[in-house]
Amino acid sequence: MPLNIPIILTWLRIAMIPLLVGLYYLPEAWMSIPVRDTTASLAFIFAALTDWFDGWLARRWNQTSSFGAFLDPVADKLMVSAALLVLLNLDRVDVMIALVIIGREITISALREWMAQIGASASVAVHWLGKFKTAAQMIAIPCLLYYDTLLGIPFAAIGRVLIVIAAILTVWSMLYYLRRAWPVIREKTAKD
């Protein structure tokens, strides 16, 4: 397993997951709700920025690796799933939205793994729909974690709108990837 700054940043993102979740188990006497929500939101933003930064560094310093390519999306999916479960527990996100987003991540991850095993990973390569979905949820989640108004900006309302947009893009991108993979799936299952 290679160890370089991009991979350390990815491990840091994974290590922040218990911190994010743990904030919501602290007694109110230790940390007020506004401080907790602000801290959780900032932690998520930091983790999301490390996601962008580790990929940029890996490409810039030519430190890409198959382990990094595996670990990075796993860290993202764990981080998003943990945050969605926290938001679900706080009743700040609808159960169907959380189910759609987490279910899509599991489905597409399994699809990509299977397509890679049969040598057809190019048909499910990252598409702009997936990137827009990721951007929408990476903005929505910290808004929903913060869930307050700051400088006249209603972050809760922005988060609620963006998480619905993210869920729509989630379904749309999943259908796109499945449609792209369907001919290969059909051909492969016909041979088996």
Side-chain angles (χ1 to χ4, degrees), residues 43-118:
F44 188 91
I45 291 167
F46 176 77
L49 290 174
T50 65
D51 178 30
W52 171 81
F53 194 55
D54 67 14
W56 181 80
L57 281 179
R59 287 184 298 277
R60 182 163 175 90
W61 293 348
N62 198 24
Q63 292 182 341
T64 58
S65 66
S66 56
F67 181 73
F70 155 76
L71 191 62
D72 186 67
V74 169
D76 299 344
K77 287 161 185 43
L78 288 172
M79 179 179 66
V80 167
S81 296
L84 285 172
L85 291 174
V86 165
L87 292 170
L88 188 59
N89 188 52
L90 295 170
D91 201 27
R92 295 181 186 176
V93 70
D94 186 77
V95 69
M96 286 307 297
I97 288 176
L99 183 61
V100 162
I101 292 173
I102 294 170
R104 181 263 189 205
E105 297 301 342
I106 294 168
T107 302
I108 298 306
S109 293
L111 178 66
R112 284 193 171 127
E113 181 180 334
W114 185 65
M115 297 298 276
Q117 286 178 356
I118 63 171

Side-chain angles (χ1 to χ4, degrees), residues 113-136:
E113 181 180 334
W114 185 65
M115 297 298 276
Q117 286 178 356
I118 63 171
S121 57
S123 61
V124 287
V126 176
H127 185 262
W128 64 266
L129 271 171
K131 291 183 180 194
F132 280 138
K133 180 267 311 174
T134 299

Side-chain angles (χ1 to χ4, degrees), residues 125-182:
V126 176
H127 185 262
W128 64 266
L129 271 171
K131 291 183 180 194
F132 280 138
K133 180 267 311 174
T134 299
Q137 74 188 18
M138 292 303 197
I139 297 169
I141 290 172
C143 287
L144 291 170
L145 288 169
Y146 183 67
Y147 215 69
D148 204 350
T149 300
L150 179 66
L151 303 174
I153 302 169
F155 285 102
I158 292 168
R160 285 192 300 268
V161 169
L162 284 176
I163 203 69
V164 169
I165 291 169
I168 292 166
L169 291 172
T170 293
V171 172
W172 187 5
S173 66
M174 182 177 70
L175 293 174
Y176 170 81
Y177 290 125
L178 290 171
R179 189 175 57 97
R180 292 280 314 237
W182 186 249

Side-chain angles (χ1 to χ4, degrees), residues 1-59:
M1 173 182 74
L3 192 60
N4 53 40
I5 292 176
I7 288 180
I8 290 170
L9 288 173
T10 303
W11 279 115
L12 176 63
R13 196 159 64 251
I14 292 171
M16 288 185 68
I17 294 167
L19 167 74
L20 177 74
V21 174
L23 287 170
Y24 290 91
Y25 284 92
L26 292 176
E28 250 186 87
W30 291 11
M31 183 180 285
S32 70
I33 291 174
V35 171
R36 177 201 69 190
D37 289 352
T38 301
T39 304
S41 182
L42 292 173
F44 188 91
I45 291 167
F46 176 77
L49 290 174
T50 65
D51 178 30
W52 171 81
F53 194 55
D54 67 14
W56 181 80
L57 281 179
R59 287 184 298 277

